[in-house]
Amino acid sequence: MSSFALIFLIAGLGLIAWLTARARAARFDRGGAKRLHSLPAQHGWYVAIWTLLPALLFITVWNSVSPGLVKDAVLQHPVAAQLPKFDFERDALLAEARRVAEHPQSKAFDPLAQQLAPVVADARSRYNWMGTLAAILLAFAGAAYAFTRIRADFRARSHVERGVMVILLVASLIAILTTLGIFLSLLWESLRFFQMVPFWDFLFGTHWSPQVIDAKDPGASLGAVPLFWGTFFIGAVIAMIVAIPFGLMSAIYLTQYAAPRVRRWMKPILEILAGVPTVVYGYFAALTVAPAVRDLAVMLGMPYASSESALAAGLVMGVMIIPFVSSMADDSIAAVPNSMRDGSLAMGATPSETITKVLIPAALPGVVAGVLLAVSRAIGETMIVVMAASGAANITLNPFESATTVTKQIVDLLTGESEFDSPKTLAAFALGLTLFVITLLLNIVALRVVKKYREAYE
C-alpha cells in the first residue's frame, strides 16, 4: 500500500474513532445522571489524537528507514553477488533496478539491473505490507487505550489542549531546526573549503576567477570581494534607489490621499508584484530592460556597452521588491494614531508638512524595517541576476558595466563538471554561508526595528 493510501486509511480510522468516542461520551450525560467534565467532542478528539498520532509518527519514521532495509535485503540476494564493488557503480545499478521495479513496462540498460528488479519489487512489497500492518496496529492500539479512559469525570479537554500545545510547539520547532540544519550543512562544507583556501584570502581577496585555479595557491583566484560588491551594488544600491522612493510614495498616496474606492483596487494590484514568479522578472529583465539599458549606454557615448549590466538587473530587482517596502510603510503610516495627524493639522500645518514632519518620523521604524527586509530579499535573489547580470566579477561604480553577484556565482559553480570536493565547487558553500549570515543579520536587525515600531503611542 502506498504511503498516501495508508495515510488516508489512518485518517479514516481517526474519523471513526472520533465519532465512536463522541457517541460513547454523550451516553454518559444522557438523562443528567452524570455530568461530564468535558464535552463529548473533546472526548472524541482525545481518542482521535491517540489513533492518529502514533500511527503517523511511525509512518514518518518507517518511510525514512524502509529504503535502507530494502537495500540490505536486495544485497543479501544471490543475484547481488554480481554487483560491482565500487559504491557509486553499485548504487547506479540499484537505482536502475528500482526504476524498473516501479515501472515494470520499462527496460533496464544493464542486464544485471533487469535481474535485480523483481528482487527489489519483492523486498519493497514485503516491507510496505509490514509497515502498513504495523501502522494499523498502532492506530488500533492507541484508539483502544484512549477509548478505555473515557469516563464522565475524565478530563479530556485538558489532555486535548495539552496535546495541541505539543503539536504547535513541534510545528514551531520545525522552522528552527530547518534553519539550524541549513546552517550546519553549509558550515560543514565551508570548513572543508577553508581547509584548502585561507579564510582571509576568500573574504578579502579582490580577484575572482574560479575557472583558472592554481593548485598551489587556490586562494589567489577565489577572492570574493568582487562578488560581495556586485551583490551590494545591484541589490542594495540600485534596487533600493528604485524601491524606496516608489514604495514609500505609493504608501503615502494610498494612506493619505487615495479615496477608499481607489485604495481598494490599487493596493491589491500593487501587491500582485510580490506574487509574480522571479523567473518572469528574469525574462523581463533579459528581453526588455537589458536591451533598453544597453541602447541608453550607447546614446551616452559607450559604444561597447553590454546588455548584461548591473543597472538592468538592479532596476528589475527594485521593481520586484517595491511591494515589500510599500506594504510595511503602508502599515506603519496607518498605525500612527489619528490624533497626531489631527493635532498637526489643527496647529496649521499643511497636509504635506504633516506627512513629512509627523507621520513619516512616527512611522520611521516600520519603514526602516520594511527596507531592511527588502534588502535581504534583494541580495538573495537568483533568477533575475542569472538571466540579466553578467558572470564577470568587477569592482566598479559604473552601473552600465558588467557585474555579478553571490547567487549568480553559486549557480555557476554548482552546475559545472568539477569534482564535488574541489575548491571551485566547495566555494559555492562558502558563498552560501556568507550570504546566509548576512541575510540573517539583516532580518534580526529588521525584527528589532519592528519591535520599536510596535511601540504604542499614548
Side-chain angles (χ1 to χ4, degrees), residues 121-311:
D122 180 67
R124 291 184 62 180
S125 177
R126 183 168 66 252
Y127 281 108
N128 280 343
W129 280 111
M130 289 173 58
T132 300
L133 292 176
I136 293 174
L137 288 176
L138 276 174
F140 276 107
Y145 167 76
F147 200 75
T148 57
R149 302 192 66 186
I150 296 178
R151 300 183 304 274
D153 59 345
F154 180 62
R155 299 177 177 270
R157 181 181 62 194
S158 303
H159 288 280
V160 170
E161 291 176 350
R162 193 178 300 117
V164 172
M165 287 180 61
V166 171
I167 293 173
L168 293 176
L169 176 62
V170 172
S172 63
L173 288 176
I174 288 176
I176 299 174
L177 295 177
T178 301
T179 304
L180 182 62
I182 293 172
F183 175 75
L184 292 178
S185 62
L186 290 174
L187 181 63
W188 177 259
E189 301 299 338
S190 299
L191 291 176
R192 294 177 58 193
F193 170 75
F194 290 126
Q195 291 174 355
M196 306 175 187
V197 177
F199 179 78
W200 294 104
D201 291 352
F202 172 75
L203 280 185
F204 300 102
T206 58
H207 178 63
W208 179 264
S209 181
Q211 291 77 19
V212 183
I213 297 178
D214 186 358
K216 296 182 179 179
D217 187 15
S221 302
L222 295 174
V225 170
L227 310 186
F228 298 148
W229 170 251
T231 302
F232 172 78
F233 189 49
I234 294 175
V237 177
I238 299 176
M240 288 300 106
I241 289 175
V242 176
I244 292 177
F246 284 99
L248 187 57
M249 287 189 293
S250 62
I252 292 173
Y253 172 75
L254 290 175
T255 55
Q256 303 300 316
Y257 294 106
R261 185 175 61 181
V262 175
R263 177 182 170 84
R264 275 197 302 270
W265 63 263
M266 194 169 181
K267 185 175 175 60
I269 290 177
L270 181 63
E271 293 182 347
I272 286 176
L273 292 174
V276 176
T278 56
V279 67
V280 176
Y281 283 111
Y283 280 121
F284 176 65
L287 300 178
T288 304
V289 178
V293 171
R294 181 194 58 206
D295 295 341
L296 176 62
V298 172
M299 291 175 56
L300 296 175
M302 303 177 189
Y304 302 106
S306 172
S307 60
E308 295 179 333
S309 62
L311 183 59

